[in-house]
């Protein structure tokens, strides 16, 4: 099919799927458009690159089942706060109840603000969610990943390994199969905390936390890195310090110290993409797998993250827009978001990949365009 024919076919799909997005849209895309959307998160193959980041949209089974039905690639569970066997939490200040989320415009994009931090229910409730999410993962319906905030000491303090041990072992048991897939969350609110005032303190966390977690279970670990209150060079230094992780989620939201809240929007994606552009992952064989996050509101933005080394992306805000902000007329917000991100005939992922093919930047292999070929290290052996 010619490029013009592909674009015409894409426009028809865009209109048709406004009413109902097929759950297995990656197969349709491959059959009709000869585009392979296969991606990767935490070393796991996923049918396309779009997942849901940790937050209030992944706190119960009903939300996960809705995402599975919509065809989402993966979902990261709400972040639980680590504890020891007695239930003590050194980071208990992060286990506070969420206020209502407020979705609002920020520049040319959107942001969501709320007061609140991590999981505020019992640890047993979280383990029950992990067991239910594992069932979805095992059935091949939706890759799910628990998320944890562990103790982070000051520079002259020891790690509380009893919290690392109890929490990691309990999660591994609930997960039921090795390895346990896990995200360690360096939340954006941490950037606004006095704990994160010292550069060397942050770098110590990033270097030592992976081994502290892995000492207690077979874990495949992603580290969700915050945007620290320092310059771009330090952000790069953070990324290199965390290189012993299996994957890095880059980078969490910005923190407004005056308002006391984290925020997203264009400022976030501008910084994230700028820092990622300086990492040159294709020239860094030791770089962990990257998952992009931050103001992802179109397929064009997904391609921008992919071209800087991200083999998947995580969204949160875009799944919460007012219904009239999506072009689709029916379906869950997850379905409507996927429809716009994949099929929009100007800025959707398929349109931008076809655009790159026409410009000679992306080539077909065995008659297909491949999402993972957008990565600068696409053909480097792993």
């Amino acid at each position: 099919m010619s490029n013009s024919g592909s674009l015409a076919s894409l426009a028809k799909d865009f209109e048709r799927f406004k009413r109902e997005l097929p759950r297995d849209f990656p197969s349709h895309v491959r059959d009709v458009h000869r585009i392979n959307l296969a991606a990767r998160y935490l070393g796991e193959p996923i049918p396309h690159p779009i997942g849901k980041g940790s937050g209030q949209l992944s706190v119960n089974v009903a939300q996960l089942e809705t995402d599975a039905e919509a065809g989402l690639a993966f979902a990261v569970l709400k972040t639980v706060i680590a504890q020891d066997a007695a239930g003590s939490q050194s980071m208990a200040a992060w286990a506070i109840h969420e206020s209502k989320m407020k979705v609002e415009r920020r520049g040319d994009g959107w942001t969501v603000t709320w007061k609140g931090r991590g999981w505020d229910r019992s640890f047993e409730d979280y383990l029950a969610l992990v067991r239910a999410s594992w069932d979805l993962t095992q059935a091949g319906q939706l890759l799910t990943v628990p998320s944890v905030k562990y103790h982070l000491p000051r520079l002259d303090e020891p790690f509380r390994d009893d919290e690392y041990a109890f929490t990691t072992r309990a999660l591994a048991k609930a997960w039921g199969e090795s390895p346990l897939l896990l995200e360690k969350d360096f939340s954006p609110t941490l950037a606004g905390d006095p704990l994160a005032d010292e550069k060397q303190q942050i770098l110590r966390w990033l270097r030592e936390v992976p081994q502290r977690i892995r000492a207690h279970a077979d874990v495949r670990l992603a580290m969700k890195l915050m945007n620290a209150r320092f310059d771009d060079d330090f952000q790069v230094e953070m990324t290199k310090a965390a290189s012993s992780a299996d994957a890095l989620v880059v980078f969490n939201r910005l923190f407004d110290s005056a308002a006391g809240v984290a925020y997203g929007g264009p400022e976030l994606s501008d910084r994230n993409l700028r820092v990622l552009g300086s990492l040159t992952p294709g020239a860094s064989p030791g770089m962990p797998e990257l998952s992009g996050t931050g103001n992802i509101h179109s397929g064009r933005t997904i391609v921008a993250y992919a071209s800087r080394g991200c083999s998947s992306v995580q969204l949160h805000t875009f799944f919460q827009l007012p219904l009239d902000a999506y072009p689709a007329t029916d379906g869950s917000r997850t379905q409507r978001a996927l429809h716009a991100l994949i099929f929009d005939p100007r800025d959707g992922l398929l349109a931008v990949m076809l655009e790159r093919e026409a410009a000679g930047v992306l080539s077909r292999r065995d008659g297909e365009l491949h999402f993972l070929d957008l990565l600068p290290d696409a053909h480097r052996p792993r």
Side-chain angles (χ1 to χ4, degrees):
M1 186 185 295
S2 68
N3 193 271
S4 59
S6 295
L7 290 173
S9 178
L10 175 58
K12 289 180 180 178
D13 278 350
F14 178 67
E15 291 302 320
R16 180 159 60 108
F17 295 153
K18 281 182 178 180
R19 296 180 294 278
E20 183 179 8
L21 180 70
R23 185 194 181 282
D24 192 16
F25 64 84
S27 292
H28 169 87
V29 167
R30 192 170 187 181
D31 291 343
V32 174
H33 301 283
R34 307 304 298 160
I35 296 178
N36 186 336
L37 294 177
R40 187 174 56 245
Y41 179 58
L42 251 183
E44 294 293 314
I46 48 179
H48 61 85
I50 303 167
K52 180 174 285 184
S54 174
Q56 285 300 96
L57 303 182
S58 49
V59 298
N60 59 58
V61 177
Q63 291 171 322
L64 299 176
E65 289 175 341
T66 297
D67 290 339
E69 180 61 30
L72 191 69
F74 67 97
V76 183
L77 306 184
K78 177 73 173 176
T79 299
V80 72
I81 310 304
Q83 65 178 56
D84 62 19
S88 176
Q89 297 173 308
S90 59
M91 307 292 279
W94 271 264
I96 59 177
H97 184 68
E98 306 279 355
S99 62
K100 184 176 175 60
M101 292 183 286
K102 183 180 180 182
V103 182
E104 55 193 342
R105 283 282 189 181
R106 189 176 182 100
D108 294 331
W110 295 84
T111 188
V112 174
T113 55
W114 69 94
K115 298 283 187 178
R117 297 175 175 181
W119 181 264
D120 61 352
R121 305 174 208 172
S122 74
F123 188 56
E124 281 304 318
D125 284 347
Y126 194 81
L127 294 178
L129 178 63
V130 171
R131 285 189 286 268
S133 71
W134 163 244
D135 290 340
L136 290 171
T137 298
Q138 189 178 39
Q141 297 179 52
L142 177 71
L143 177 67
T144 59
V145 179
S147 173
V148 187
K149 184 184 295 298
Y150 290 92
H151 172 241
L152 297 173
R154 298 190 182 280
L155 201 54
D156 58 349
E157 294 176 344
F159 282 86
R160 296 195 182 182
D161 283 317
D162 50 351
E163 292 187 12
Y164 280 78
F166 178 80
T167 301
T168 306
R169 289 170 184 167
L171 289 171
K173 183 178 179 181
W175 189 249
E177 183 174 291
S178 292
L180 165 66
L181 304 182
L182 190 66
E183 268 196 18
K184 163 65 182 95
D185 183 15
F186 289 88
S187 72
T189 49
L190 178 63
D193 191 272
L195 265 178
D197 284 343
E198 295 287 338
K199 289 184 178 180
Q200 290 307 311
Q201 195 158 272
I202 295 171
L203 295 176
R204 178 197 178 197
W205 299 337
L206 298 175
R207 292 189 186 106
E208 296 189 28
V209 160
Q211 68 194 48
R212 300 279 173 182
I213 296 172
R214 291 179 178 135
H216 306 292
D218 180 15
V219 176
R220 196 183 300 163
L221 180 66
M223 302 256 277
K224 188 171 187 177
L225 303 185
M226 63 183 176
N227 266 296
R229 288 173 292 151
F230 301 106
D231 60 17
D232 288 4
D233 288 343
F234 183 69
Q235 204 68 21
V236 171
E237 193 174 356
M238 285 173 56
T239 306
K240 293 177 179 177
S243 62
S244 66
D246 298 291
L248 301 178
V249 184
V250 285
F251 299 96
N252 223 321
R253 300 193 303 159
L254 300 169
F255 189 77
D256 184 332
S257 298
V261 296
Y263 66 95
E267 296 162 77
L268 175 58
S269 53
D270 286 350
R271 187 186 201 212
N272 287 0
L273 292 170
R274 186 173 66 243
V275 171
L276 287 172
S278 68
L279 288 173
T280 57
S284 306
M287 179 74 68
E289 177 190 295
L290 299 179
S291 184
T293 190
N295 190 40
I296 297 172
H297 58 275
S298 70
R300 194 169 296 278
T301 318
I302 294 172
V303 170
Y305 276 95
S307 66
R308 289 163 177 81
C310 297
S311 60
S312 66
V313 292
Q314 300 187 15
L315 291 68
H316 196 262
T317 299
F318 196 70
F319 292 120
Q320 301 180 72
L321 304 188
L323 289 179
D324 60 8
Y326 301 107
T329 55
D330 289 287
S332 65
R333 276 184 169 80
T334 306
Q335 287 174 309
R336 295 179 192 222
L338 290 170
H339 167 259
L341 293 166
I342 299 293
F343 291 99
D344 184 279
R346 186 181 68 176
D347 291 319
L349 180 55
L350 303 184
V352 180
M353 290 180 70
L354 290 169
E355 180 183 292
R356 291 204 158 207
E357 180 189 23
V361 178
L362 186 64
S363 301
R364 293 182 183 264
R365 288 188 289 113
D366 301 322
E368 295 181 336
L369 296 178
H370 292 252
F371 169 77
L372 287 174
D373 283 355
L374 293 166
L375 276 63
D377 62 344
H379 301 296
R380 176 166 57 82
R382 291 185 175 273

